[in-house]
Amino acid sequence: QVQLVESGGGLVQPGGSLRLSCAASGRTIGRTAMGWFRQAPGKEREFVAGITWSGGGTYYADSVKGRFTISRDNAKNTVYLQMNSLKPEDTADYYCATALYPSIRARDYDSWGQGTQVTVSA
């Protein structure tokens, strides 16, 4: 089983930027699809961004297109989420996860991190 640890969250003003990292250990993530999800208080976990095992394909939720960028460095066993032009509605706990195949459905992911909190507020 892969262990995932997210980092990089914090408090940021609207319009600001954050870069989240997801460090994997235990097993390589080089042959897995990766995804970022988020969950705000009182809401269901929602898909944010995904990336294929090779990094050649990326896909995003409509709400973050043009603002967020997912990337991966398989040599470092790490996945990133660059978040720009942040909005208050981006406030949530952010999670990274692994899947056998690219998917926007949380139920298709098998290993999850504990999350990192992002708060967008003046």
Side-chain angles (χ1 to χ4, degrees):
Q1 186 176 5
V2 177
Q3 291 79 49
L4 304 173
V5 179
E6 302 93 338
S7 63
L11 175 64
V12 64
Q13 294 182 337
S17 299
L18 284 174
R19 186 194 189 211
L20 305 184
S21 298
C22 174
S25 62
R27 301 289 294 275
T28 180
I29 62 170
R31 295 292 183 177
T32 70
M34 301 293 298
W36 284 96
F37 290 76
R38 67 187 182 187
Q39 187 168 21
K43 296 185 178 181
E44 294 186 352
R45 188 167 298 187
E46 65 174 346
F47 170 79
V48 175
I51 189 168
T52 60
W53 65 266
S54 67
T58 59
Y59 44 105
Y60 301 89
D62 288 341
S63 59
V64 306
K65 286 182 179 178
R67 300 189 298 120
F68 291 10
T69 302
I70 186 173
S71 62
R72 67 191 298 166
D73 187 336
N74 289 345
K76 296 182 178 179
N77 227 25
T78 302
V79 179
Y80 306 95
L81 184 67
Q82 178 67 46
M83 305 186 296
N84 299 325
S85 302
L86 284 163
K87 305 174 181 179
E89 50 263 45
D90 294 320
T91 296
D93 290 330
Y94 283 72
Y95 303 85
C96 67
T98 66
L100 293 177
Y101 303 97
S103 176
I104 64 172
R105 300 178 299 184
R107 65 184 179 90
D108 290 332
Y109 290 78
D110 40 45
S111 295
W112 294 81
Q114 294 300 304
T116 184
Q117 188 174 71
V118 173
T119 302
V120 184
S121 178

